[in-house]
Structure formats: C-alpha cells, structure tokens
Amino acid sequence: MTETDDTADLDARLSERLTAYDPWRVGLYAVLAALVGFYLIPIETGIVTSIKTATGVVETLPYVPPGPSTFTLQNWATAFDLLVRGIVNSLIFTIPATILCAILGSTAAYGLTLVDWRGQIGVLVLFIAGIFIPYQAVIVPLSRFWSNYLDLTSLLSFLWALPVLEPYWGTLIELTITHVAYGIPICVLLFRSHYKSISTEMLEAARLDGASVTKIYYRIVLPLSRPMFAVVLIFQFTQIWNEFLFSLTLVSSASSPAASVTLILSGIGEAQTGLDFPLRMAAAFVAAIPTILIYVLFTDEFAEGVRT
Amino acid sequence: MSTLDTLRQRLNWGGRDTDPAENDTAATDGGTAVGTPGARERSTLRQYWNSDFVRSMPFWLVPFAVMGLFVYGAIGWNFVISLTDYAGFDDANYSDLDFQNYVEAVTSPQVIAAARNTLVLVVAFTIVCLAVGLTVAVLLDRQVRFESTLRTIYLLPMALSFIVTGQFWLWMYNVNNGIVNAFVGLFGLGPYNWVGNPDLVLAAVVFALVWQFSGYCMVVYLAALRGIPNDQFEAARIDGASTLRMYWRVIVPQLKPATVSATVVLMLFALKAFSFLYALFGGYRPTKGADILATLMVRQAFQLQQWAYASAIAIILFVMTLGIIAPYLYYQYRGDNL
C-alpha cells in the first residue's frame, strides 16, 4: 500500500519535473515575465525618475536608476510638503464616507435580498443602475445644489467657532455626503452577491423561532458579513481616495484649503521651464502610497471588489 | 414538510383567518370582536405593519432615499437645466424651457467630433482590453508558480488613481526622454509626439488605459475559468497544439457571461474617462483627436460656464450609457443573476 503510494508520488513528482522543462512551459514563463515588465515599467520609471536631479533626468535613460551624482530625495520632500494638506483632507472625507457606504450598503442589501417582498426587484434595479451612471450627468446640478441650495460652509457656520473645525470643513462634509450617495449602489451589489450565498433555511428557521427581521440582521447576517465588510471597505476606500471629478467640481481650486490629494496632484510640477517630471513622479507616489499599501496588503479583497 | 411550512408562512402574511388558533379564539369570543369593522381595519393595519415589506423598510429606505435623491433626482434636475438657457454666473431661469441646446449640440462639429472619438475609444479600448485580459487569464490559469504574486502585479495599475497614472503616462510618452519613444526608436521609428499629435493621441490613450484595465479583465476571466469543471481542462491538456484549439472551442464559449459583464463595465468606463484625460493633458482641453463627450461636457460647464449646454451634452452621454446598461440589466434579470 505504501509502496504504490510512493511510486505514485514519485510519478507525480517526475511528471511535474518534466512539465517544468517542457518548452511550452518555458515559453509560458517568458511571456508572463514580459507581462510583468509591461505592467511595471511605467511604475518603475516613475520611481527612478522621482529620485533624479534635473540634470540626471536629461543625462540618463528614463528607466535607469540614477548614479550617486544625480541622486536626490529633494523631489520627495517637496512633493510631501505640497501634498500633506491634501492627504489630511482626503483622509477626513474618505474614511467616514467609506464606513457609511459599507453600513448603508449592507443594510440595504439585506432589506432587498434576504427579506422577501413584492416589488423589491424594482428598487434593486434602481440601485444597480445607479452604479453605472456617468457622473457628468449629475455634476452640474450637484455643484448648484451644494453651492446655492445647501451651502454647508455657511449653513453650519455656528460649528466653525469650535476648536479644530474650520469653515472649509463644510466642503469636506459635502464631499463626504456626495461620496456616500454615489458609493451606496456598488456596496449594495457587493453585499447582495454575498447575501445570496447565505443559506435561506437557516434564516427561515430563525424566523419560525420568532426572530424579527431586525434581530435576524444583528444576530445572523451581520456576523456573517464580516469578510464582505473587509472587501467593501478596502475597495471603497481606494475608489473614494482616487476619485477626481467631485473634488475638481465641488472644491473650487487646488489652492483651496479643502483641496483633496488628487486635486493638488493634478496641478503639480507645471514649472516655468516646462514640466518638472521628477517632482511630478515623486508627488504621484506620495499621493498613491495609501492605496498601494492597502492594495498590496489586501490584494484578494480588492480583487473580489473589482470582480463583482 | 419544512419548505411547505415556510411557503405557507410566507403566503400567510395577509390571511389571518386561516390560522386555526386564531379561529378558536374568535369562536370562544362568540364572534363579536372579529366581526366589527373597526377591529378588522385594525387587524389589516397590523398585518400590514407586520409584513416583510414594512419590516424591511428601515434597512433600505434611508440608503435608497439618499441614493435616489443624488442619482435620479440630480439626473432629472440636469434634464430640466438642459432645457433652460442657464449660462455664466446668474441663476438659472426655469420659466422658459425649450430643446434649443440639443439642436445646437447635435449640429455642432465639436460635439460630432467628440462623439466619434468617444465611439472609437469605447470600441477599441473594450476589444483590446478583453483580448489582453483573456490571454493573461488563460496563461495564469495553467498552474503557474508565483501565481498570486503575478496576479498582484498585473492588477496593480487598477489600484492607482487616474491622476497618478496620467502623470506616469505623460512621462512615458514624453517626446525627448520618454520610454515609448526609446522603444520605437529601436526599430528606427520616431520620435513621435504621442500626446500632442491629433492622429496618434487616441491610440496612445487607448494603450495607456489598456495598461490600467486589462488586469481587471484578467481577474474577471480568471474567476470564470476557475468555475469551469476540471475534466474539461484535462481533455484540453493533451499537448500544446491541441490546447489552443481546445481553449478556443471548449473553454472560451463558456466565458460568455464573464465577457458580457466585463464588456459593459469597460464600455461604461471608456464613456466617462474624464479624469485620466484631464491628468494627461493638464487641464480641461485634451489634444484635438482625444476630445470625448465626457471631457467636452466638463469643459463646457466648469471652464466656459455654459451650464445648460453642458447639461444637454451630459444627457446625450447619459442616454448612450442607458443604451448599454438597459439591455445588460435585462439580460441579467432574465438569467436570474440580478
């Protein structure tokens, strides 16, 4: 018995070895390596350019790391100084918006998936169609709404006397609400795809025991949602952090105190003598650090968010 | 038995008198209490209150109201603005509505050129992206070592903001020091002004966007491939030459649902690819050959203050979007995937 197992094992290992040297396999790995180059070259070029001096950029090839004489960290320092204000602002609206999106998305998906009632499909279709709406179709009324009809900076003026708070927080709150409103649909879809896989028998059993709709949510569905909350939080944080059109249209300009990180980045490095590429590359990385970190740590969750 | 019970329970939320226990109580009461109209009304009210529809409301009503106001309310308002002559810094005048802006838009050479560019971008980007994504997914699905590392690398561009990737590609496409020109120089070509030349710019934009989005396609296709039963791959794994044919004839046809949803997402993305173009061109106005409806709309509104005219272009863009999502949602609904 053990002998046959051993030979089978040996066979398996041998065939594995053989396939490893199969010319098709070699070609396959060559193509995969070339693809790594394709996807990483713009990023690699950005990194090496960001640590070059202005003369280094002219003298060396763009993808070659700088020599000791053309190496500098000054671009990163300048970029960080320019962007730190935007990073703080982006965190202030991204974190609450992400959390609210996840909570509201979860409850809505529960009410529309695990509780059966007539006509829910109509409400659901409106939610799902909301994912695909081009922001261009809402951006004019949206900017009118926040500037003429519900200008939080002046409406909440009694708050700005408090410590820490400043008038530009009104704009940040507007951005938070906007991001929540347009983030809910995708969160509903993500939670719904998860809730459809929850066994209905378990819920029916709880229901026959007399558990209310609310109790079922808190006792059964919410604990089971934990993995999906991770996916939604990670995906939504990346989306909101990277968003640009709302920042551009709701915050007046990159010099505004409420400017987000993407808004400041879009205007960086336009020097009198042309484009300052080392500074631009360094700034691009400073702005991308939170999303890159989250992405590398939680690739699987991000991939699941993207896929659904 | 238990499913039957469940079914009965569910059907029952409107019918109180089929409950035997309830009937007993009514009988001992002599039937007077149940018979009065007030009590009956109260009990229908209570049934309504206890119904799943009402019980589920606290869960979806607030998100629905917020989303509905900002998405559908704003689109409706946008449509009304598009019928006015709203421009400049005055307030909109809602008393004089007509379709003048739409007439102006569909006859404007600028809008027609932008619509043509949008169409080229959507079609070229979607097809190339699907092809690249499918190829990468098939390659990765062949029991590759370091698969998860490779996947992380291929999907990485997708995690970056368009403002960030726009900066990267501006540098890649730089006339004097850019890598793309260094690369085509190896074949004795160029240097080209990729971003400034109206004939090349759209191809350059498509290439950069494929770089950013093919990882998304790969993830979608990889998940679909993993859902196909293993024995079909065993048959396909006989030798190299027949592998390709086998994939083409057996595996690829089964990827139709994945292709449909990836196509929709990619097309919608290409329709509204504003941020990337804004970053690449450093402002509202892209090079002539790359002006799409999305950039034209934002420029008309936020640079030129032609609010009503921009809203009309936005509605045209919205209708194009609807032309893509309505059939898709119907397809999903019919396939019971919604």
Side-chain angles (χ1 to χ4, degrees):
Chain A
M1 188 65 199
T2 42
E3 214 164 281
T4 51
D5 267 1
D6 276 355
T7 33
D9 194 36
L10 197 70
D11 271 356
R13 244 185 301 163
L14 201 65
S15 67
E16 198 177 296
R17 268 298 153 73
L18 282 175
T19 49
Y21 292 103
D22 179 351
W24 282 95
R25 301 292 289 180
V26 176
L28 174 63
Y29 280 105
V31 173
L32 290 173
L35 282 168
V36 170
F38 171 66
Y39 286 109
L40 284 187
I41 270 190
I43 298 167
E44 189 267 352
T45 311
I47 293 179
V48 295
T49 305
S50 73
I51 50 172
K52 283 178 189 177
T53 60
T55 49
V57 170
V58 180
E59 283 167 3
T60 55
L61 285 170
Y63 53 90
V64 178
S69 62
T70 52
F71 171 82
T72 175
L73 285 178
Q74 187 53 48
N75 302 314
W76 280 75
T78 313
F80 187 77
D81 284 345
L82 289 168
L83 284 171
V84 66
R85 178 168 73 80
I87 291 175
V88 172
N89 287 339
S90 279
L91 286 175
I92 290 172
F93 68 78
T94 303
I95 291 173
T98 306
I99 294 169
L100 280 171
C101 270
I103 293 172
L104 294 175
S106 160
T107 58
Y110 170 70
L112 294 170
T113 309
L114 297 177
V115 186
D116 251 348
W117 49 277
R118 254 176 305 161
Q120 62 175 213
I121 199 81
V123 176
L124 192 71
V125 164
L126 287 176
F127 266 115
I128 293 179
I131 300 170
F132 303 114
I133 298 306
Y135 290 162
Q136 275 80 6
V138 297
I139 199 70
V140 169
L142 192 66
S143 66
R144 292 310 86 187
F145 177 70
W146 287 127
S147 61
N148 294 358
Y149 294 89
L150 204 70
D151 181 6
L152 293 183
T153 302
S154 49
L155 285 179
L156 299 177
S157 51
F158 59 93
L159 276 178
W160 313 140
L162 297 173
V164 183
L165 297 180
E166 300 275 349
Y168 72 85
W169 276 61
T171 310
L172 296 179
I173 296 172
E174 292 171 5
L175 277 172
T176 311
I177 298 172
T178 308
H179 279 298
V180 170
Y182 293 99
I184 285 173
I186 182 72
C187 295
V188 170
L189 184 71
L190 286 166
F191 277 111
R192 177 174 162 83
S193 71
H194 181 62
Y195 290 164
K196 279 203 292 194
S197 68
I198 291 181
S199 119
T200 43
E201 275 159 38
M202 179 167 53
L203 300 184
E204 288 300 345
R207 190 174 257 245
L208 289 177
D209 284 348
S212 67
V213 170
T214 312
K215 201 166 179 184
I216 292 177
Y217 178 72
Y218 284 112
R219 290 285 166 80
I220 302 175
V221 176
L222 201 57
L224 286 173
S225 309
R226 212 169 284 170
M228 207 57 206
F229 264 100
V231 170
V232 169
L233 289 173
I234 282 154
F235 183 70
Q236 226 16 55
F237 180 88
T238 315
Q239 294 305 100
I240 298 176
W241 181 272
N242 288 343
E243 213 286 325
F244 177 67
L245 186 57
F246 289 148
S247 301
L248 178 70
T249 49
L250 300 185
V251 183
S252 48
S253 74
S255 54
S256 154
S260 72
V261 69
T262 46
L263 186 58
I264 300 179
L265 176 64
S266 72
I268 257 178
E270 281 167 340
Q272 299 286 318
T273 50
L275 303 173
D276 187 347
F277 278 110
L279 177 62
R280 277 176 173 243
M281 295 300 117
F285 279 104
V286 171
I289 279 173
T291 45
I292 292 180
L293 266 182
I294 285 183
Y295 171 73
V296 172
L297 290 175
F298 304 100
T299 308
D300 290 339
E301 282 84 357
F302 182 81
E304 194 173 343
V306 165
R307 194 173 59 228
T308 313
Chain B
M1 182 58 198
S2 81
T3 34
L4 204 66
D5 275 347
T6 327
L7 199 68
R8 203 173 288 149
Q9 165 117 354
R10 203 175 285 166
L11 289 172
N12 241 357
W13 55 264
R16 203 170 164 223
D17 31 21
T18 48
D19 195 335
E22 210 64 48
N23 275 350
D24 282 354
T25 346
T28 48
D29 275 1
T32 46
V34 190
T36 60
R40 196 178 293 151
E41 206 169 274
R42 215 175 305 131
S43 80
T44 1
L45 206 72
R46 194 163 61 202
Q47 282 153 17
Y48 183 68
W49 180 245
N50 288 336
S51 76
D52 283 345
F53 169 67
V54 173
R55 296 281 194 88
S56 71
M57 264 186 171
F59 288 93
W60 58 265
L61 200 60
V62 169
F64 186 66
V66 172
M67 187 276 304
L69 175 73
F70 276 86
V71 175
Y72 298 103
I75 290 173
W77 188 0
N78 188 85
F79 180 67
V80 176
I81 290 178
S82 76
L83 302 176
T84 67
D85 305 320
Y86 183 22
F89 296 99
D90 305 327
D91 257 344
N93 173 14
Y94 294 105
S95 59
D96 180 23
L97 303 181
D98 55 42
F99 284 92
Q100 186 56 38
N101 288 311
Y102 291 92
V103 176
E104 215 171 288
V106 293
T107 53
S108 145
Q110 209 179 11
V111 174
I112 293 166
R116 197 181 51 227
N117 289 336
T118 307
L119 206 68
V120 174
L121 177 70
V122 167
V123 173
F125 165 72
T126 308
I127 291 174
V128 178
C129 221
L130 287 174
V132 173
L134 178 61
T135 312
V136 178
V138 167
L139 292 176
L140 264 190
D141 196 38
R142 299 194 55 78
Q143 261 102 55
V144 178
R145 235 175 280 182
F146 315 116
E147 189 210 304
S148 74
T149 314
L150 290 172
R151 219 166 30 127
T152 305
I153 291 171
Y154 298 161
L155 190 60
L156 175 61
M158 179 95 194
L160 301 173
S161 160
F162 294 117
I163 307 303
V164 171
T165 57
Q167 306 279 13
F168 287 164
W169 282 97
L170 190 59
W171 178 224
M172 294 287 287
Y173 284 139
N174 188 265
V175 182
N176 302 318
N177 307 80
I179 284 201
V180 178
N181 276 329
F183 182 76
V184 298
L186 295 177
F187 304 98
L189 300 168
Y192 297 109
N193 186 358
W194 296 100
V195 177
N197 185 335
D199 297 326
L200 295 175
V201 63
L202 204 55
V205 168
V206 168
F207 188 81
L209 290 177
V210 167
W211 171 78
Q212 189 159 10
F213 272 80
S214 43
Y216 158 75
C217 277
M218 174 214 53
V219 167
V220 171
Y221 275 129
L222 207 53
L225 285 169
R226 297 280 146 89
I228 296 174
N230 251 340
D231 50 341
Q232 299 195 9
F233 284 94
E234 291 304 323
R237 210 165 280 137
I238 303 164
D239 66 42
S242 70
T243 306
L244 268 181
R245 241 180 55 208
M246 204 62 173
Y247 260 104
W248 190 246
R249 287 176 49 188
V250 180
I251 308 299
V252 172
Q254 297 191 51
L255 299 175
K256 195 186 162 203
T259 309
V260 170
S261 42
T263 305
V264 168
V265 171
L266 291 172
M267 288 174 96
L268 294 173
F269 168 71
L271 272 185
K272 49 186 180 178
F274 165 81
S275 306
F276 182 79
L277 294 171
Y278 185 95
L280 196 62
F281 300 103
Y284 288 108
R285 184 178 282 282
T287 307
K288 211 172 170 206
D291 196 17
I292 61 172
L293 287 174
T295 51
L296 178 64
M297 182 270 153
V298 180
R299 184 167 75 244
Q300 289 292 340
F302 292 92
Q303 190 179 35
L304 306 172
Q305 274 82 39
Q306 297 295 323
W307 307 108
Y309 184 55
S311 299
I313 298 172
I315 291 292
I316 294 173
L317 191 65
F318 172 67
V319 170
M320 289 170 81
T321 314
L322 217 55
I324 300 171
I325 44 174
Y328 171 69
L329 287 178
Y330 183 67
Y331 169 84
Q332 294 289 65
Y333 175 70
R334 279 220 345 225
D336 209 20
N337 288 325
L338 215 58

